[in-house]
Amino acid sequence: MIKATTDKLFSQIPSAERVSGHLLRRTKGDQIIWGIVVLLALASLLVVYSATGSLAYKMYKGNSEVYLFKQLSFIIVGILLIYFLHRVNYTLYSRVSLILFLISVPLLFYTLFFGAQINDGSRWIKLPVINLTFQTSDFAKLALFMYLSRQLSRKQEVIKDFKKGFLPLIVPVLVVCALIMPANLSNALLTGATALLLLFIGRVSVKHILLVIGVALIPILIIVSVAVSTYHPDKTTEANTTTETKVPAALRSFGRFGTWVSRVQDFMYAKDKQIPYQVQQAKIAIANGGILFGRGPGNSLQRNYLPQAYNDFIYSIIIEEYGLLGGAFIIFIYVLFLFRCIRIFRRCPYAFGAFLALGLSFTLVIQAIANMAVNVNIVPVTGVTLPLVSMGGSSFLFTCAAIGIVLSVARNVEQMEGNEEKIKEVNDNKEAENAGAAALA
């Protein structure tokens, strides 16, 4: 006997449109920030593919799409990370911030003494199972700004007091910056500057902030003074002169101190053939781009000569392929992101969420400005990436985590505003009903 089967209506079968529609309904937060994430991810995919095409062809025997699929996988994982983090109530981040900060400090210690040595700096820990290098400073910055936001929200009543208000805020900043500095001075300076900006907005006394700035200027002035006093023009006439020939051996023995002095000397004195190779190639790339539309997608010439074209110097490749208009559009995107986060800050009724959104947005935008400034030779060469655009890695994923947390704050702000509107509507209806009943009576 043949068993009867029941057929389903086609309308009962879940379609891709329904699944995507359900996902979109569950995607909350600032829609413009979501759009910014998608735009920067697409820009990253295009530029990283272009910048790594020749490298992949040489490294993988003609397979030029290796880095393209690698970047695509990072983008997919990053967007999923943003989605899941934005679904979490941001108050949970306040509860875990202290734990994350206490984890980050030993990690920085371990990295400083036992981390993987890459480009003369110990900044990474190599994860044994997945064989991925993990930059602990990215984790530490995220944990620091979460913890700093929590402390700022709790110390508002004593915020002007040096002992009760200022010290509990500045000590974590100094600890993190001091542990990052030996391997990555530029990252430490950017982290400290961002933290001080957040403290200023959090109503910390200006004289206390100026005191910290004065102390922080001491090592910077020492580096500049040593760079000026040890510079000898007769030893730097050759092209691409190395640190060994420019900086005395006694200074090179102090970790990366010689590298810092050398970069300051290059920025202050280098001319023509003395300019560092990567700076030369970045300038050529920008000159090739022109004013309007550049050489076009995938037509970069300097990607074959520019070191870190897919990472630290990706902005110069953007200008070469898309012109100054393309470079200006990237700047506009980051500025728009900052303004949307400031809007979240102003709308958030609770201090922790407001400070959290602002602090994380500051650290991303200031990092982007620093990267672009290096590419156009406004500041000395540093090792910071362009957030959401440079080739994926731990920095890319932590950037996505920060954006997910910002969107979590935005989502909860929208929910609170929606609840307030519903409560107001119910109260208005009750008042109207009471008024009608009184009129009938």
Side-chain angles (χ1 to χ4, degrees):
M1 182 178 179
I2 299 173
K3 188 177 180 179
T5 58
T6 57
D7 195 7
K8 283 189 175 182
L9 292 172
F10 186 76
S11 59
Q12 295 176 335
I13 301 174
S15 64
E17 287 184 10
R18 292 182 187 177
V19 174
S20 61
H22 178 68
L23 189 63
L24 287 174
R25 284 193 298 272
R26 291 178 62 85
T27 301
K28 303 296 181 180
D30 193 300
Q31 299 301 318
I32 293 179
I33 293 180
W34 276 108
I36 288 170
V37 170
V38 173
L39 276 176
L40 289 179
L42 290 174
S44 173
L45 205 61
L46 290 172
V47 183
V48 167
Y49 179 49
S50 174
T52 58
S54 301
L55 176 64
Y57 188 86
K58 293 177 184 177
M59 296 290 290
Y60 295 95
K61 298 179 180 180
N63 187 2
S64 59
E65 284 81 25
V66 171
Y67 292 109
L68 171 66
F69 289 112
K70 181 180 178 181
Q71 183 67 7
L72 181 61
S73 65
F74 270 108
I75 289 173
I76 293 171
V77 172
I79 290 178
L80 288 175
L81 184 62
I82 292 173
Y83 177 79
F84 287 116
L85 289 178
H86 107 285
R87 296 291 303 176
V88 176
N89 192 310
Y90 75 89
T91 56
L92 177 65
Y93 301 124
S94 176
R95 293 195 286 270
V96 302
S97 61
L98 178 59
I99 298 171
L100 295 178
F101 177 73
L102 293 177
I103 293 173
S104 69
V105 174
L107 279 177
L108 289 174
F109 264 114
Y110 178 85
T111 308
L112 191 59
F113 295 104
F114 306 105
Q117 292 282 338
I118 302 175
N119 296 331
D120 298 326
S122 180
R123 308 175 189 176
W124 293 266
I125 291 177
K126 200 166 188 178
L127 301 178
V129 178
I130 59 176
N131 200 27
L132 179 70
T133 53
F134 161 60
Q135 192 162 342
T136 52
S137 61
D138 292 325
F139 173 73
K141 286 193 296 182
L142 184 61
L144 173 65
F145 285 105
M146 290 169 65
Y147 179 67
L148 205 58
S149 300
R150 171 191 170 98
Q151 290 294 88
L152 270 173
S153 65
R154 294 188 166 200
K155 300 288 183 181
Q156 284 301 305
E157 294 183 0
V158 292
I159 198 70
K160 300 295 183 182
D161 186 89
F162 182 81
K163 187 176 180 180
K164 295 180 180 179
F166 180 67
L167 282 182
L169 294 169
I170 200 61
V171 168
V173 177
L174 295 178
V175 169
V176 169
C177 291
L179 292 174
I180 295 175
M181 185 182 70
N184 196 339
L185 176 63
S186 57
N187 207 340
L189 291 175
L190 291 176
T191 302
T194 307
L196 290 179
L197 183 58
L198 185 61
L199 293 183
F200 174 74
I201 294 173
R203 296 177 55 249
V204 170
S205 175
V206 175
K207 64 180 180 181
H208 295 158
I209 294 175
L210 291 177
L211 176 64
V212 176
I213 293 174
V215 173
L217 284 175
I218 294 174
I220 298 174
L221 292 175
I222 290 174
I223 294 171
V224 174
S225 301
V226 172
V228 172
S229 61
T230 59
Y231 176 73
H232 298 289
D234 55 325
K235 293 184 179 181
T236 57
T237 54
E238 297 296 329
N240 305 320
T241 309
T242 62
T243 303
E244 285 74 13
T245 59
K246 289 186 289 186
V247 181
L251 296 178
R252 297 198 304 271
S253 61
F254 293 98
R256 289 178 56 82
F257 188 80
T259 303
W260 303 336
V261 171
S262 173
R263 287 181 176 178
V264 173
Q265 288 176 342
D266 289 335
F267 181 73
M268 294 176 65
Y269 300 113
K271 294 179 181 178
D272 301 326
K273 293 182 179 180
Q274 302 169 14
I275 298 173
Y277 180 75
Q278 64 234 42
V279 177
Q280 290 181 16
Q281 300 306 316
K283 286 183 174 181
I284 294 171
I286 292 170
N288 288 341
I291 296 176
L292 293 177
F293 305 112
R295 298 184 59 85
N299 293 323
S300 169
L301 298 176
Q302 296 312 115
R303 63 186 176 185
N304 300 317
Y305 308 101
L306 180 61
Q308 301 291 321
Y310 49 84
N311 206 354
D312 297 351
F313 284 89
I314 198 167
Y315 186 66
S316 58
I317 301 298
I318 291 174
I319 295 178
E320 183 182 15
E321 293 190 348
Y322 299 94
L324 287 179
L325 285 179
F329 178 73
I330 294 296
I331 295 174
F332 169 75
I333 289 294
Y334 285 112
V335 172
L336 179 61
F337 172 74
L338 179 61
F339 274 106
R340 297 304 296 184
C341 291
I342 291 173
R343 183 171 178 267
I344 295 170
F345 166 79
R346 297 179 64 181
R347 291 169 61 195
C348 188
Y350 298 106
F352 171 72
F355 289 134
L356 185 62
L358 205 59
L360 294 179
S361 64
F362 278 158
T363 188
L364 295 181
V365 173
I366 289 175
Q367 179 180 329
I369 292 171
N371 176 275
M372 292 184 282
V374 168
N375 277 252
V376 299
N377 200 31
I378 294 176
V379 297
V381 175
T382 62
V384 295
T385 58
L386 190 60
L388 279 186
V389 178
S390 294
M391 191 165 73
S394 63
S395 178
F396 186 92
L397 295 180
F398 280 112
T399 297
C400 291
I403 293 174
I405 294 171
V406 170
L407 286 171
S408 172
V409 178
R411 183 178 71 88
N412 281 272
V413 168
E414 286 183 355
Q415 287 179 346
M416 284 184 285
E417 289 179 345
N419 291 335
E420 288 175 0
E421 289 177 1
K422 287 180 181 178
I423 292 171
K424 185 180 179 182
E425 184 179 350
V426 170
N427 291 335
D428 289 343
N429 290 336
K430 285 182 178 180
E431 289 178 3
E433 289 175 2
N434 293 334
L440 291 174

